[in-house]
C-alpha cells in the first residue's frame, strides 16, 4: 500500500503521470491530504473534485490517504493535555501529545517507533528501535489530533518517541 502523504508534490505528479493523468491533479490531492482544522480527507473517496475514474485508479495502484485513528486518548484533568496512542499499519505503536497554551496549541509528534537508548524508566525502549517514521506518518499525527480534538494546532514539536 502506498501512503499518499509519504509523497512529495513532484513524486505525486510522477505517480499521476504514470497513471495517465494531468500533473495539476497532484495539487488537488495535496490539498485534500493537508487541509487543517480536521478537514483533511480520510479516504480517496472523499476527494470529490477528482473524477471517479481517477479515484479508482489511485485505489487500484494501492494508494491510500494514510489516516491514523487514535487507539486511545487520555485527557489530563489538570490542564486538558491530550495524549494519543496510535497504531501504525505495521503494528507499531506511537504517541502524540496536544498541549494548550495561552499562545496557541502545540502538538508533539513522534518521529520513530521505539527507542534504542535503553533507559530503565522508559517503556519506549523495551523493544528497542523498530524504525523511523515516514514523513506522512509524522504529518498525519498532527492532522489526526486536529480531527479528534476539533482544535487547530499552531506549533509542532518533534520528539523521538512517546510512551506507547
Amino acid at each position: 500500500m502506498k501512503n499518499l502523504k509519504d509523497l512529495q508534490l513532484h513524486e505525486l505528479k510522477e505517480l499521476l503521470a504514470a497513471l495517465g493523468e494531468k500533473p495539476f491533479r497532484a495539487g488537488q490531492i495535496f490539498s485534500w491530504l493537508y487541509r487543517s482544522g480536521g478537514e483533511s480527507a480520510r479516504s480517496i473517496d472523499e476527494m470529490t473534485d477528482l473524477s471517479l475514474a481517477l479515484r479508482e485508479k489511485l485505489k487500484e495502484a494501492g494508494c491510500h490517504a494514510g489516516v491514523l485513528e487514535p487507539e486511545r486518548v487520555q485527557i489530563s484533568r489538570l490542564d486538558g493535555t491530550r495524549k494519543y496512542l496510535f497504531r501504525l499499519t505495521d503494528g507499531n505503536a506511537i504517541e502524540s501529545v496536544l498541549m494548550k497554551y495561552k499562545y496557541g496549541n502545540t502538538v508533539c509528534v513522534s518521529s520513530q517507533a521505539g527507542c534504542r537508548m535503553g533507559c530503565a524508566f522508559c517503556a519506549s525502549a523495551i523493544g528497542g528501535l523498530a524504525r523511523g517514521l515516514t514523513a506522512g506518518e509524522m504529518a498525519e499525527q498532527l492532522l489526526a489530533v486536529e480531527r479528534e480534538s476539533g482544535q487547530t494546532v499552531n506549533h509542532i514539536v518533534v520528539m523521538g518517541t512517546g510512551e506507547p
Side-chain angles (χ1 to χ4, degrees), residues 9-25:
L9 188 58
H10 72 90
E11 294 170 315
L12 197 49
K13 287 178 182 179
E14 290 169 8
L15 170 67
L16 289 165
L19 296 175
E21 295 290 333
K22 303 264 191 233
F24 79 89
R25 297 282 184 207

Side-chain angles (χ1 to χ4, degrees), residues 20-21 25 43 47-48 51 55 64 79 103 123 138 144 148:
E21 295 290 333
R25 297 282 184 207
S43 73
M47 300 178 189
T48 53
S51 70
R55 287 182 272 161
H64 62 91
D79 63 3
Y103 57 80
M138 287 186 275
E148 190 281 331

Side-chain angles (χ1 to χ4, degrees), residues 36-37 97-108 142 145-146 149-157:
S36 66
V97 180
L98 174 64
M99 299 168 291
K100 299 177 184 182
Y101 297 105
K102 61 184 173 189
Y103 57 80
N105 298 322
T106 298
V107 68
C108 291
L142 162 75
V145 166
E146 284 190 334
S149 69
Q151 301 286 315
T152 298
V153 171
N154 310 94
H155 309 280
I156 301 169
V157 175

Side-chain angles (χ1 to χ4, degrees), residues 88-155:
L88 302 173
T89 56
D90 63 5
N92 283 302
I94 59 168
E95 287 190 334
S96 304
V97 180
L98 174 64
M99 299 168 291
K100 299 177 184 182
Y101 297 105
K102 61 184 173 189
Y103 57 80
N105 298 322
T106 298
V107 68
C108 291
V109 298
S110 294
S111 64
Q112 62 191 38
C115 180
R116 71 169 50 110
M117 292 303 293
C119 302
F121 60 85
C122 181
S124 297
I126 292 172
L129 177 64
R131 66 178 178 86
L133 300 186
T134 66
E137 289 169 328
M138 287 186 275
E140 176 54 22
Q141 291 172 67
L142 162 75
L143 297 168
V145 166
E146 284 190 334
R147 274 194 307 273
E148 190 281 331
S149 69
Q151 301 286 315
T152 298
V153 171
N154 310 94
H155 309 280

